[in-house]
Amino acid sequence: MDPGFTAEQDEIRRTLRELLHKRCGPGELRAALDAPTGHDPALWAALAEQLGLPGLALPERYGGVGCPRTDLALAAEETGRALAPTPLLATSVLAAPLILALGSEAQRARLLPPITDGTLTAALAVPAPALATALALTGPGGGDWAGGGRAGGVQARPAEGGWRLYGEAAQVLDGHSAGLLLVAAHTGGFVRSRTLLFLVAGDAPGVVRTRQTALDATRPQARVQLRHVTAELLGDEAADVPRALAEAGDFAAAFLACEAVGAAGRVLERTVDHLGQRVQFGRPIGSFQAVQHRLADVYVQLQAARSAAYYAAWAAGRTDGVPDGVPEGATGDAAERVGGLALAQGLEAQRLAASEGVQLHGGIGFTWEHEAHLYFKRAAGDELLFGPVHRLRAHAAERAALFTRTEVTV
C-alpha cells in the first residue's frame, strides 16, 4: 500500500473543500435541512458540474469520471467535515454500485448517465431497521430481513408480465426526494424465498413517501409505502442480491469511515480554537493540563481512525477495473474485513470527538444555535443506522474466523 495521496486525489480533496467552504457554511446547512428535500439541490448541481462527484467512481462509458472507488471514499472526508447536505451516500454509494453490478446493459445505459450528471437521485429501500444487516455490516446479509415470506417488509409478485410490490420500508435515506427507488423485496414464497432488487420511479402510482423526523437531520430519512406498485426487476432473477449488497456494504463502510473521520477532525479543530480563546481564571482554558489530556485522547483516537479509514478506502479500490465496468467488489481478504473495522474505529472517534466537543465548549455547546449538536447527532445517528460499534467488530471477527481458527503446531 502506498500511504501517500496521488496528485489527482489531492486536487479532488482541495477543490471539494474550497467548494464546500463557499457553498456549505452554517447558514446554508441549516437552510438545507429545513428545505422539503432535506438537501441543497444547488450544491448538488455544483458538485456534479464542477467535480463530477456523483459519477466520480462510475465508468466513463456511462458518463462517469472513471476514478477508482478509493477517490470517492477519500472525498467523503471533506463532505463529513462540512456535514454536506447532499444525496451522495444514498445515490452514489448505495444505489449506483448496485445498478452497476446487477443491472442489465440497457438499465445501466438508461440510469447511470443521469446519476452521474446529478439530474437523477436514487435511494436504497430496505425494511427498517435492517439496513446494516442487508449490507452485511453487523451480521450475515442472507437472512430474512426482506420479509422472509412473513408479514412485514416488502413482497414482490409476478403480474402481467412484470412485477408488483406491496409493503413498507422505513429509514430510507433520501427516500422522500429520490427520483428512483431501489427496493429490496422478498419473492418466491416461503419454500423458494429469495430477495431481489426492483426499480421503482419515485412518483409511481401507489408509492406513498413520508419524510420522517430523524435524530440526525443531515441524513434525511423517509417511510416508503408500496401499494401494488408496478416495478422493474433489476437484472435477472438469477442475481446474487445478498452478495451484491454485501459488496456494496464493504465500500459503504470505507466511505462512512472516511466521512466520520472528517466530521471528528472538524469538531476537534473547532474545539481547540474555542479553548484557545475562552479565558477562565485569567488564562485560556486550553492551557490547563486536564483539558489538554482530554484533547490528546481525542487526537490519538482520531489518528488511529484516520489510518484505518485510509486503508479501508485503499482496500475497497483494489478490485476496480474489472472488464465492462462491473466492479468485482470487496471480495479479497483485506477488503472484505477491514471495512467494518474501519467504520467501527471511525464511529468511535466521531462519538468521542463530538461528546468532548459539546462538553469543552461549555454552556454554548449545548445551545441550538451552535453547530456542536449537529456533529453530536451525526455521531449518534450513524451508530443507529450502521452500527453499533460492538456489533461491527463482532461481525468482522466472525468473518475473519478470529475465534474459531484451529492453530497447527509443528
Side-chain angles (χ1 to χ4, degrees), residues 24-42:
C24 191
E28 291 86 352
L29 174 59
R30 291 177 182 272
L33 300 185
D34 293 336
T37 58
H39 68 265
D40 184 357

Side-chain angles (χ1 to χ4, degrees), residues 82 234 272 363:
L234 179 65
V272 170

Side-chain angles (χ1 to χ4, degrees), residues 12-21 78 81:
I12 291 172
R13 287 156 59 90
R14 182 190 64 79
T15 306
L16 181 56
R17 180 176 293 199
E18 291 178 356
L19 178 60
L20 292 176
H21 179 72
E78 301 305 323
R81 281 177 56 88

Side-chain angles (χ1 to χ4, degrees), residues 45-396:
L47 292 172
E49 294 171 4
Q50 299 183 30
L51 282 175
L53 193 62
L56 188 66
L58 291 175
E60 294 181 34
R61 63 185 295 184
Y62 301 118
V65 180
C67 291
R69 291 186 296 174
T70 298
D71 293 5
L72 180 57
L74 294 175
E77 186 173 357
E78 301 305 323
T79 62
R81 281 177 56 88
L83 298 182
T86 70
L88 182 64
L89 173 61
T91 299
S92 302
V93 178
L94 296 178
L98 291 169
I99 296 172
L100 184 62
L102 298 178
S104 65
E105 182 58 34
Q107 289 172 332
R108 295 179 204 159
R110 185 178 84 245
L111 299 174
L112 292 180
I115 285 178
T116 59
D117 65 22
T119 57
L120 177 65
T121 58
L124 174 64
V126 300
L131 181 59
T133 302
L135 296 175
L137 294 176
T138 57
D144 59 359
W145 52 267
R150 304 175 181 86
V154 181
Q155 308 295 320
R157 300 182 185 277
E160 300 175 1
W163 295 83
R164 286 191 178 274
L165 306 183
Y166 189 91
E168 178 181 291
Q171 295 180 325
V172 181
L173 295 174
D174 291 297
H176 62 294
S177 61
L180 175 69
L181 297 174
L182 198 61
V183 183
H186 172 268
T187 185
F190 184 77
V191 178
R192 301 177 58 192
S193 64
R194 65 191 185 280
T195 299
L196 297 174
L197 290 176
F198 296 87
L199 302 170
V200 177
D203 57 357
V207 176
V208 179
R209 303 188 290 178
T210 307
R211 183 175 176 180
Q212 296 177 292
T213 300
L215 173 64
D216 176 17
T218 65
R219 292 207 197 280
Q221 302 173 25
R223 173 178 288 105
V224 178
Q225 296 175 310
L226 304 156
R227 301 171 180 173
H228 302 294
V229 174
T230 300
E232 177 186 354
L233 178 65
L234 179 65
D236 55 53
E237 295 187 46
D240 190 349
V241 172
R243 179 182 178 85
L245 285 169
E247 291 175 354
D250 287 328
F251 173 63
F255 179 93
L256 290 163
C258 290
E259 198 178 58
V261 164
R266 181 58 179 154
V267 171
L268 181 59
E269 290 174 9
R270 289 177 62 90
T271 304
V272 170
D273 183 64
H274 172 76
L275 296 179
Q277 298 177 18
R278 181 78 167 90
V279 176
Q280 197 66 262
F281 304 110
R283 55 191 286 196
I285 57 178
S287 64
F288 292 103
Q289 190 176 47
V291 173
Q292 293 174 353
H293 285 172
R294 293 173 68 172
L295 291 174
D297 288 341
V298 175
Y299 179 79
V300 170
Q301 187 82 3
L302 173 60
Q303 291 303 104
R306 179 174 280 120
S307 296
Y310 286 172
Y311 181 72
W314 169 81
R318 269 199 320 171
T319 53
D320 285 345
V322 177
D324 294 329
V326 182
E328 180 183 332
T331 55
D333 289 342
E336 185 177 70
R337 295 166 187 155
V338 81
L341 291 175
L343 178 55
Q345 192 83 359
L347 293 180
E348 200 166 52
Q350 184 178 221
R351 180 180 58 195
L352 177 62
S355 59
E356 290 285 19
V358 169
Q359 291 194 23
L360 292 175
H361 270 84
I364 194 174
F366 290 87
T367 63
W368 186 260
E369 290 76 14
H370 200 274
E371 287 75 45
H373 74 94
L374 295 176
Y375 288 90
F376 184 83
K377 290 175 180 177
R378 166 61 67 89
D382 277 359
E383 283 207 58
L384 290 173
L385 280 172
F386 306 106
V389 168
H390 70 274
R391 290 190 61 187
L392 287 166
R393 288 180 170 145
H395 181 54

